[in-house]
Amino acid sequence: MKIHQMSLAEAFASLQSGPAGLSASEAARRLAEYGPNAVEPVRGEPLPLRFLRGFTHFFALILWVAAGLAFFAEWHDPGQGMGTLGWAIIGVIVVNGAFSFWQEYRAEQALQALKNLLPRQASVVREGQAQRIPATNLVPGDVLLLEEGDAIPADCRLVEAFAVRVNNATVTGESLPHSRDAEPSSEADLLHSGNLLLAGTWLVSGNGRALVFATGAHSEFGRIAQLTQSAGHEPMSPLQVEIARLSRLVAGLAVGLGVICFFIGRAVGLSFWENFIFAIGIIVANVPEGLLPTVTLALAMGSQRMARRSALIRHLPAVETLGATTVICTDKTGTLTRNEMAVRRLYLGGRMEDVTDPGQLRALADGHPRFFETAWFCHNVKQGRRAGFNAWLGDPMEIALVQMAVEALPASPQYPRLDEIPFDSQRRRLSTLQQTPEGAVLFLKGAPEVVLPRCHEAQVNGAPVPFTAGLQTQFRAAHEAMAAEGLRVLAFAHRVVPAGCGRAHFEERLTLTGLVGLLDPPRPEVPAALAQCRAAGIKVIMVTGDHPHTALAIAREIGLVRSAAPVVITGDELRRLSNTQLQLALDAPEMLFARVGADQKMRIVTALKRKKEIVAVTGDGVNDAPALRKADIGIAMGRSGTDVAREAADMVLLDDNFASIVAAIEEGRAVYANIRKFLTYILTSNVPELVPYLAFVLFKIPLPLTVIQILAVDLGTDMMPALALGAEKPAPGVMQQPPRARTERLLNGALLMRAYLWLGLLQAAAAMAAFFFILLANGWSYGEMLAPRDPLYLQATTACLCAIVAMQVANLFICRSRRESAFRLELFSNPLLLWALLVEITLILAITYTPWGNLAFGTAPIPATVWWLAAACAVVMLLLEEFRKWLVRRTSLASMMKRNPQNRAP
């Protein structure tokens, strides 16, 4: 027999305790045996390992190898700038790794500020005396003293209960408080037993005593936390997978070109070591050293933009993962709804009334004063302070009724309370006796099926009439209609209690005044956010611990469900489904899950991931944590969420607002698009850096671009413009497009062809033209080799460098869109773009025209004619790319017209 099924004497005996509690020595012994009443936080990587991870991922390893090769080349052939390049690459790795770690560390510190796992103090009875102890010192057998508003610190069995109601939302996901008493329960399920209080829940009304039977990891709270620990998290996000793939491609391409060039060099007669150093130069030139910090900074800027929209990113790759999301599994209570009760509908005088505004309530109160007086008097809420403000404290449902009464009755009557018959789970009603000018009046509220049989009159058209069978049918039909909409329905009644009436007869011969339907109302911004998700091709599935009727009613109201027969699967039905059946069921266009437990939420997420979906999961309760951990991206609530949920999540919503998720998805999509923009920008400059090396070997000309000048582009002039592309705002219509396919690559064939075989070749042609323009203008003849410090050679290489930078200036505007004209994009929509241009131009002018720039980068001042040539080449590239974009748009339009002939203009 389980503890909730035992009598009180059996329960105490099973834990070798009693009403006087444990002795101090026995409590100390049990604390040593069972351990502290604390749940171990979700395990994460140790801090040193997380720090080192930033220096050992695949792309960082490529850069380490490139640095090693540069140092080797410097050792074999000093003075060519390869040593400087090696140190610069190491600097990139160190700065990038440290920055990534710092961003995540800052997010963790912000999360730590939200932490408040379980109540820190608890009132217990030990050795017959009430005392306050740290909640972590609770042990099985302790007797807890509980009052209204207390958080429950451990799993316990009630031994005394006075009007106890508990909110289980954080553990079960149910939005409505539940009554609890001390009577033995026949319920098999521990979670729904009528005499148990679970750790992590809280007492919304009443007071009592409870016997602790499970603490820490042994509690239901702890069991779910352990399930969260066991839930495997994906080792890499979709972006990390793509970056790893990109790293392999870049490494393969660089090594492949190096090997090819090595054999070309051998074929044209270069010595082995000359050829080997040349191949190293080719490999290093093809590694985009600026890519890693630019990706990191783009993600960091994305996380900052999300933070401004109330989304705290704990792990940088989660910024982009959110943009790839195809399915959102969302909790209901506190995410789609406000996690507070509100009056939605009234049944008064035979008419159904939708509650919309205070003016309407005041008008109704004129004809039905007793109904609103019942709401005003019949409750146990108190006025107090919450978060520094005056507020009603108590059962959320009673608070909603009192707020309705305050709005309906501007001059709320103040009649003293003479007596009260409390609510409990058997009676299912509450009565208060107030002294009014008419005498003692009993005000009663409760479940309609309990209240209606006690009524002999009903209020109709402002006057009491006999409660005939016909009227009873009408009220029952109204009750059923409201319940079918997911409303929690209460009946209100009253009577003037005659003098001499015994307390046992107070609740007889009542006058029924009406019905009230309450609901945890949806957040007002949710319907629009769901419409955006639908337009963006993102499927949203409600997964809740609440009742199916309530869940479906909310789903219809917010527009999550629009069809007549959506698929609704309860936890019991889910248990009977095989994995294959569940995956097939998930194909339904509209569906929701109700009455599901923590392990079942995790199973739903696992099934979706097997279907190759990118899954985001939202939640605030302990019961949500395993699914948050299992998802591609877990999204926890910052205000109402538990620590276990927040620690399991990748992102925390600081305003608990579902609409913030949609805003963050938009930012995530923008981040992915921006990464492709600056990837195109960075890879384009690799070609004019590579071609000079090939020309040097194949055509026996002076090397047009030195290693240190390549470094000036990759880690100097290119950095700010690439970063500016990473800060581009989401493109119009980005949320009207479906999520990208899981198979879509960050670096695909189209991007490579555009960067390497189109824009890159145009830039290489301009760079070589500028190089030869200086040489030929100063009498150089083919076959003549120039000394590294020859003024003519310095000028020629500077011209090549300046031409590349000038072409990259044009490329900055070109890369803002793959198909839209650069002239149609608003220039001032991205202020960083103009700053990047200013920095880029300032840098190249400083490198070209200052003594320290000349010394550091092996440059020399060039005449204005070179700039005119470079500018002309940049304009030509811009116009050629505009022509290509026009062809793409024209072809796309023609293709669309072919598919949809009805769209063709007459």
Side-chain angles (χ1 to χ4, degrees):
M1 186 181 294
K2 295 180 180 178
I3 193 167
H4 64 287
Q5 297 168 328
M6 298 177 181
S7 67
L8 293 181
E10 289 171 331
F12 276 118
S14 70
L15 290 165
Q16 299 179 27
S17 183
L22 302 172
S23 66
S25 59
E26 178 61 14
R29 188 193 70 77
R30 294 190 185 192
L31 184 62
E33 179 177 348
Y34 295 102
N37 178 39
V39 176
E40 186 180 348
V42 176
R43 282 193 302 271
E45 279 184 301
L47 214 58
L49 280 180
R50 287 175 60 189
F51 181 73
L52 289 174
R53 184 162 43 87
F55 305 97
T56 55
H57 54 81
F58 192 75
F59 200 84
L61 293 176
I62 290 174
L63 291 182
W64 283 116
V65 171
L69 290 173
F71 286 129
F72 177 80
E74 178 68 18
W75 169 76
H76 187 269
D77 188 11
Q80 299 302 314
M82 296 298 279
T84 306
L85 177 60
W87 286 115
I89 292 172
I90 288 176
V92 167
I93 300 168
V94 171
V95 170
N96 184 77
F99 183 76
S100 297
F101 174 78
W102 173 244
Q103 281 292 117
E104 293 191 9
Y105 180 75
R106 281 178 60 201
E108 292 303 308
Q109 293 302 106
L111 193 65
Q112 196 70 20
L114 300 169
K115 195 163 188 178
N116 188 19
L117 189 62
L118 287 174
R120 295 175 183 173
Q121 295 285 315
S123 296
V124 298
V125 177
R126 286 185 177 173
E127 297 180 339
Q129 300 294 317
Q131 53 187 282
R132 295 280 286 174
I133 65 169
T136 53
N137 290 350
L138 284 173
V139 295
D142 264 327
V143 176
L144 274 172
L145 301 175
L146 298 169
E147 295 182 353
E148 181 180 306
D150 282 352
I152 311 301
D155 287 356
C156 49
R157 155 77 192 270
L158 281 166
V159 295
E160 288 180 12
F162 302 96
V164 168
R165 291 172 68 79
V166 65
N167 187 318
N168 286 334
T170 57
V171 174
T172 65
E174 297 168 290
S175 57
L176 291 173
H178 293 275
S179 301
R180 292 290 184 260
D181 57 37
E183 298 301 316
S185 171
S186 59
E187 177 70 52
D189 185 8
L190 207 71
L191 287 177
H192 298 102
S193 173
N195 57 16
L196 296 187
L197 303 176
L198 302 176
T201 62
W202 59 284
L203 214 64
V204 296
S205 64
N207 57 77
R209 295 187 177 211
L211 177 64
V212 175
F213 66 86
T215 60
H218 306 287
S219 66
E220 183 64 19
F221 190 102
R223 185 190 72 79
I224 296 172
Q226 287 176 328
L227 184 62
T228 305
Q229 297 275 19
S230 65
H233 200 59
E234 286 297 320
M236 290 199 296
S237 73
L239 178 64
Q240 287 172 316
V241 170
E242 280 302 298
I243 293 294
R245 178 180 172 274
L246 172 62
S247 302
R248 290 192 295 271
L249 276 174
V250 167
L253 188 63
V255 172
L257 282 171
V259 171
I260 290 169
C261 291
F262 178 83
F263 285 111
I264 291 173
R266 293 294 288 170
V268 297
L270 287 179
S271 70
F272 175 83
W273 282 111
E274 268 187 316
N275 209 17
F276 186 69
I277 298 303
F278 164 66
I280 288 175
I282 292 290
I283 291 170
V284 173
N286 272 279
V287 173
E289 294 87 357
L291 178 61
L292 188 59
T294 309
V295 169
T296 303
L297 288 169
L299 292 176
M301 288 190 298
S303 74
Q304 294 297 325
R305 290 196 300 270
M306 287 183 180
R308 288 196 291 271
R309 299 174 87 166
S310 299
L312 175 69
I313 299 296
R314 294 185 63 205
H315 308 117
L316 280 182
V319 173
E320 188 279 331
T321 305
L322 197 59
T325 298
T326 58
V327 176
I328 300 174
C329 291
T330 178
D331 188 27
K332 177 184 73 70
T333 307
T335 308
L336 299 175
T337 64
R338 293 192 296 205
N339 197 19
E340 59 186 43
M341 300 301 290
V343 175
R344 175 56 57 87
R345 196 154 291 151
L346 304 177
Y347 185 70
L348 298 172
R351 293 178 55 188
M352 196 72 79
E353 303 282 353
D354 288 327
V355 176
T356 54
D357 60 74
Q360 178 197 16
L361 287 174
R362 285 192 287 272
L364 290 171
D366 291 339
H368 306 275
R370 285 296 193 213
F371 177 86
F372 293 97
E373 286 175 3
T374 303
W376 174 243
F377 289 118
C378 193
H379 64 82
N380 283 307
V381 302
K382 302 179 180 69
Q383 276 203 305
R385 292 184 71 78
R386 179 183 292 148
F389 297 96
N390 291 328
W392 294 103
L393 306 176
D395 186 322
M397 189 165 58
E398 289 198 326
I399 291 172
L401 295 173
V402 170
Q403 288 172 335
M404 175 189 73
V406 169
E407 291 176 349
L409 305 169
S412 304
Q414 303 295 324
Y415 302 146
R417 182 174 293 192
L418 302 175
D419 198 0
E420 175 186 333
I421 307 177
F423 180 97
D424 64 41
S425 57
Q426 277 77 40
R427 286 171 32 79
R428 300 175 65 199
R429 61 188 184 274
L430 168 68
S431 296
T432 62
L433 189 67
Q434 312 289 144
Q435 182 63 56
T436 76
E438 301 171 41
V441 176
L442 182 90
F443 295 98
L444 178 147
K445 71 181 179 193
E449 56 269 29
V450 173
V451 176
L452 266 61
R454 295 179 171 273
C455 298
H456 81 111
E457 289 182 329
Q459 197 88 20
V460 178
N461 296 326
V465 299
F467 196 36
T468 62
L471 268 180
Q472 290 180 36
T473 301
Q474 287 180 30
F475 272 89
R476 289 196 177 96
H479 171 210
E480 289 169 5
M482 293 163 85
E485 295 176 18
L487 302 180
R488 174 72 179 272
V489 185
L490 295 176
F492 284 8
H494 75 281
R495 73 171 291 199
V496 177
V497 179
C501 178
R503 195 170 188 267
H505 300 288
F506 279 2
E507 298 177 332
E508 297 174 356
R509 300 185 62 77
L510 301 168
T511 299
L512 182 65
T513 52
L515 304 177
V516 58
L518 300 102
L519 189 70
D520 180 8
R523 291 176 175 273
E525 63 279 348
V526 165
L530 287 171
Q532 278 188 282
C533 286
R534 187 174 286 108
I538 300 168
K539 185 176 182 178
V540 181
I541 301 173
M542 183 192 292
V543 184
T544 179
D546 224 332
H547 194 280
H549 282 169
T550 307
L552 186 56
I554 289 291
R556 287 198 186 282
E557 183 169 353
I558 61 180
L560 180 59
V561 165
R562 298 185 295 181
S563 62
V567 175
V568 180
I569 298 177
T570 64
D572 289 338
E573 293 167 341
L574 181 56
R575 245 175 240 110
R576 295 193 290 268
L577 293 179
S578 68
N579 289 337
T580 302
Q581 289 171 318
L582 175 57
Q583 282 184 236
L584 290 171
L586 286 166
D587 290 331
E590 292 183 342
M591 72 181 312
L592 55 89
F593 293 87
R595 291 285 195 213
V596 294
D599 55 337
Q600 292 177 316
K601 288 187 177 186
M602 194 165 73
R603 188 183 169 207
I604 292 165
V605 173
T606 303
L608 285 165
K609 291 179 75 172
R610 279 199 298 266
K611 292 173 71 67
K612 306 301 181 187
E613 305 284 2
I614 304 291
V615 186
V617 172
T618 75
D620 57 358
V622 182
N623 59 323
D624 298 313
L628 291 172
R629 179 84 170 166
K630 188 71 178 175
D632 290 296
I633 178 163
I635 305 167
M637 303 297 118
R639 290 181 181 173
S640 61
T642 59
D643 284 330
V644 173
R646 288 193 290 258
E647 287 176 5
D650 302 289
M651 185 176 100
V652 178
L653 290 184
L654 300 177
D655 60 356
D656 292 8
N657 189 339
F658 183 84
S660 296
I661 300 173
V662 180
I665 287 174
E666 185 178 28
E667 291 292 351
R669 290 189 174 189
V671 165
Y672 184 81
N674 290 347
I675 289 174
R676 298 191 81 174
K677 290 174 187 177
F678 66 65
L679 193 58
T680 305
Y681 180 84
I682 287 171
L683 293 180
T684 297
S685 64
N686 274 9
V687 179
E689 292 169 355
L690 171 65
V691 167
Y693 271 85
L694 293 174
F696 167 66
V697 172
L698 295 175
F699 303 112
K700 299 290 185 179
I701 62 172
L703 181 62
L705 194 69
T706 65
V707 170
I708 199 69
Q709 288 167 351
I710 290 174
L711 188 63
V713 174
D714 289 353
L715 297 179
T717 57
D718 268 5
M719 285 295 292
M720 273 297 287
L723 199 56
L725 289 172
E728 286 279 273
K729 292 181 179 178
V734 71
M735 291 300 284
Q736 275 73 54
Q737 299 168 6
R740 73 171 193 273
R742 189 183 268 268
T743 54
E744 185 179 325
R745 299 303 182 197
L746 186 65
L747 183 64
N748 56 20
L751 190 151
L752 274 173
M753 288 180 66
R754 184 178 176 221
Y756 280 151
L757 302 181
W758 173 241
L759 298 175
L761 289 179
L762 290 173
Q763 287 199 13
M768 295 305 293
F771 178 72
F772 283 116
F773 176 80
I774 288 289
L775 289 182
L776 296 174
N778 288 276
W780 175 82
S781 57
Y782 180 73
E784 181 185 351
M785 299 306 290
L786 300 173
R789 303 306 299 176
D790 187 309
L792 177 58
Y793 178 70
L794 295 177
Q795 266 200 331
T797 56
T798 305
C800 183
L801 171 65
C802 292
I804 293 172
V805 173
M807 297 294 276
Q808 283 290 75
V809 167
N811 198 29
L812 176 61
F813 296 97
I814 285 170
C815 290
R816 292 185 73 191
S817 175
R818 185 180 62 84
R819 50 174 291 154
E820 292 300 323
S821 168
F823 300 108
R824 295 177 60 184
L825 300 174
E826 190 181 341
L827 181 62
F828 297 101
S829 63
N830 182 2
L832 193 57
L833 206 70
L834 299 177
W835 282 108
L837 271 179
L838 182 62
V839 169
E840 184 174 24
I841 293 168
T842 302
L843 269 176
I844 191 59
L845 291 177
I847 289 169
T848 306
Y849 295 107
T850 64
W852 66 262
N854 297 159
L855 182 65
F857 295 97
T859 57
I862 57 173
T865 49
V866 176
W867 290 110
W868 285 112
L869 174 64
C873 291
V875 169
V876 168
M877 182 175 76
L878 181 62
L879 294 176
L880 286 172
E881 174 64 4
E882 284 295 313
F883 179 68
R884 185 201 66 82
K885 288 180 178 180
W886 176 78
L887 285 177
V888 168
R889 292 194 300 271
R890 189 168 180 270
T891 306
S892 176
L893 182 63
S895 176
M896 185 181 71
M897 289 296 185
K898 190 174 181 180
R899 287 195 306 269
N900 302 290
Q902 65 272 23
N903 291 342
R904 206 170 286 160

